Amino acid sequence: MDRLNTELRNQAVDLGLCAKWQEDWESDKSQQELIDMWKRGIDFSILHDYPSNDFIKANFDRELLNRNLVFVDEHIDLTDAPSGVYVINGECSGTLWFNSWAAATVYVRHGSDITVVADDFAKVFVRLYDDSNVEVVELEDAVVKVY
């Protein structure tokens, strides 16, 4: 396995990664495949704060992360935010504006402070963790739920 895969897999195993996920991870994964796995197992990742923000920033292409709606220690301003699963890590700030029937789940972690604007029948579910903060603006029949 390449260095990135080996290091991430070993960290996850040390944190209690189950046998099924270990078997699925026996071959090298691309950065895209690793991001897909991480988001699919987001509950495990959040529970164990895995991997660290510093590790993510040092080992993953920021543009690839952003295309996958993953942000770490950066300012975010999306005025036509697409539907999907967002993971906001570290000390992020900014605004996510959802409209035109968008549907999204937004995980806001660590010390991030963001504004979520929902408009035009958008449905947004926000999950707050750690010392994060979210300001919510609901417009035109939109719904935002914060957990």
Side-chain angles (χ1 to χ4, degrees):
M1 293 181 81
D2 75 352
R3 182 199 60 80
L4 180 59
N5 276 273
T6 300
E7 193 168 342
L8 280 172
R9 187 177 187 278
N10 290 344
Q11 286 177 22
V13 168
D14 289 346
L15 294 170
L17 186 69
C18 72
K20 171 70 173 122
W21 277 70
Q22 288 181 45
E23 289 172 21
D24 290 346
W25 202 343
E26 289 185 351
S27 61
D28 285 344
K29 307 280 186 205
S30 68
Q31 282 195 14
Q32 181 61 59
E33 291 171 314
L34 290 169
I35 292 168
D36 292 343
M37 283 178 58
W38 181 71
K39 286 180 79 173
R40 203 170 53 250
I42 194 68
D43 293 333
F44 175 89
S45 301
I46 289 173
L47 177 65
H48 297 288
D49 201 20
Y50 160 83
S52 72
N53 292 332
D54 289 337
F55 187 91
I56 293 170
K57 290 189 304 186
N59 292 283
F60 285 86
D61 177 72
R62 183 175 296 271
E63 287 182 28
L64 180 62
L65 289 167
N66 291 172
R67 281 195 306 270
N68 282 277
L69 309 176
V70 177
F71 303 90
V72 183
D73 293 334
E74 57 191 292
H75 186 77
I76 310 161
D77 274 319
L78 296 177
T79 56
D80 192 14
S83 294
V85 176
Y86 291 72
V87 187
I88 313 298
N89 302 286
E91 301 294 326
C92 290
S93 63
T95 302
L96 300 173
W97 189 305
F98 298 93
N99 55 38
S100 300
W101 296 90
T105 300
V106 182
Y107 294 87
V108 185
R109 306 177 57 206
H110 304 115
S112 293
D113 187 3
I114 65 164
T115 300
V116 171
V117 180
D119 193 6
D120 199 19
F121 299 98
K123 304 286 186 264
V124 182
F125 301 92
V126 179
R127 299 192 177 277
L128 282 177
Y129 296 89
D130 311 312
D131 293 322
S132 61
N133 185 52
V134 65
E135 179 183 340
V136 172
V137 179
E138 290 175 315
L139 305 168
E140 194 76 36
D141 296 316
V143 175
V144 178
K145 298 290 185 187
V146 179
Y147 302 94

